[in-house]
Amino acid sequence: DAGVTQSPTHLIKTRGQQVTLRCSPKSGHDTVSWYQQALGQGPQFIFQYYEEEERQRGNFPDRFSGHQFPNYSSELNVNALLLGDSALYLCASSFFLDRDDSYTFGSGTRLTVV
Amino acid sequence: AQSVTQLGSHVSVSEGALVLLRCNYSSSVPPYLFWYVQYPNQGLQLLLKYTSAATLVKGINGFEAEFKKSETSFHLTKPSAHMSDAAEYFCAVSDPRNNDMRFGAGTRLTVKP
C-alpha cells in the first residue's frame, strides 16, 4: 500500500520564478494538507484541500495557491518566489470523516530559491 | 485556533537515561494530540496519538505520553534512551471538528553514549 508520494524531491529555482509541487495521497485518503518547514523550525500549516476545495488556510500570502484533483492528488503552487520560500514542503493526507486518524506524511520536497 | 508550545528546543540525555520532552497545548475545544518524529531529510512519522480515550497513550519504540487536561500538557517520555532515538520530535494538536493540525517548533533530542 503506497504511502504519500511527493515530487520532485529536490529543486532549485531563481527568485521571482514560479514553482509547482505535487502530492499523491495515501490510498483511501481524500484530504491533503500542505506544510512549509523552514530549516530548524516546525511545520507551518499552509492549507488543506478536501473535495477539490480549500477548506482551511494558514497565514500564508496569496502567492501560495493549490489545487486538488478528482483523484485526490494535489498541487501546491508558489508564485514570485522569494529567498525566504526556501524550505522543505511537506504534504500530508488523511480521511476527512475519520477525525481521530493521524496524518500520513510524505518525505517532502526540498525547495531552494537562489 | 489551537496551538502548541514545546519547552526546550534541544534536549540531551545519556544512553539509558529517561527521556522527557515537554508539550503544552492551547485549544478552544477538546483536542486531539499527537507526537511525531522526524529523522534528517525525511518526513514525519507518527509516534503516538491521543483522541479522547485513555489518557496514558503508548506508542512505538517504547515511547508514551500522558494527557493532563488540568495542566494542558502532553509530555512525551521513554524510560531508557537509545542511540537510535536521536531525532527531531514534534508535538501537534488537532481540532476534531475540522482535522486542522498545528505543530510545535520541535525538540531536537541528542543521545550521548
Side-chain angles (χ1 to χ4, degrees):
Chain A
D1 181 22
V4 176
T5 304
Q6 292 187 244
S7 63
T9 54
H10 297 82
L11 75 164
I12 300 173
K13 290 288 189 178
T14 302
R15 191 170 44 182
Q17 285 188 316
Q18 179 264 346
V19 68
T20 297
L21 311 182
R22 296 176 175 81
C23 173
S24 293
K26 178 181 177 180
S27 178
H29 284 179
D30 57 7
T31 303
V32 173
S33 302
W34 286 93
Y35 291 82
Q36 179 195 66
Q37 186 179 19
L39 198 62
Q41 303 293 320
Q44 297 296 309
F45 176 70
I46 303 175
F47 43 55
Q48 180 186 81
Y49 275 84
Y50 170 66
E51 290 187 328
E52 302 179 47
E53 292 186 5
E54 183 181 291
R55 299 287 177 160
Q56 312 281 343
R57 188 177 182 92
N59 188 26
F60 279 80
D62 292 344
R63 298 188 297 108
F64 289 77
S65 63
H67 187 77
Q68 186 180 35
F69 300 93
N71 67 353
Y72 308 121
S73 66
S74 177
E75 289 182 348
L76 164 65
N77 301 292
V78 186
N79 296 321
L81 284 167
L82 304 174
L83 296 179
D85 295 331
S86 296
L88 179 68
Y89 288 84
L90 294 168
C91 170
S93 72
S94 57
F95 183 56
F96 190 79
L97 294 180
D98 191 0
R99 298 297 171 82
D100 67 347
D101 192 17
S102 58
Y103 286 6
T104 299
F105 281 85
S107 297
T109 294
R110 173 73 63 185
L111 171 64
T112 302
V113 182
V114 297
Chain B
Q2 63 273 28
S3 66
V4 165
T5 301
Q6 291 185 241
L7 303 176
S9 60
H10 188 199
V11 170
S12 181
V13 300
S14 298
E15 190 173 20
L18 171 72
V19 175
L20 171 61
L21 305 183
R22 300 178 186 274
C23 172
N24 288 90
Y25 70 90
S26 174
S27 179
S28 57
V29 298
Y32 291 164
L33 295 160
F34 306 82
W35 275 99
Y36 284 84
V37 61
Q38 185 178 37
Y39 297 99
N41 299 314
Q42 294 188 24
L44 278 70
Q45 178 185 0
L46 179 70
L47 279 177
L48 50 80
K49 62 181 180 181
Y50 165 78
T51 56
S52 73
T55 57
L56 181 62
V57 181
K58 295 186 183 297
I60 63 172
N61 301 336
F63 285 95
E64 63 181 37
E66 186 173 7
F67 171 69
K68 292 187 177 181
K69 182 179 178 180
S70 62
E71 299 177 8
T72 61
S73 69
F74 190 59
H75 302 330
L76 181 70
T77 61
K78 182 175 180 178
S80 177
H82 191 272
M83 297 296 291
S84 61
D85 294 328
E88 189 87 18
Y89 291 80
F90 294 96
C91 183
V93 60
S94 173
D95 186 332
R97 297 171 300 179
N98 56 26
N99 217 15
D100 180 3
M101 187 176 292
R102 305 298 173 107
F103 288 81
T107 297
R108 179 169 299 278
L109 176 65
T110 301
V111 182
K112 299 176 292 185

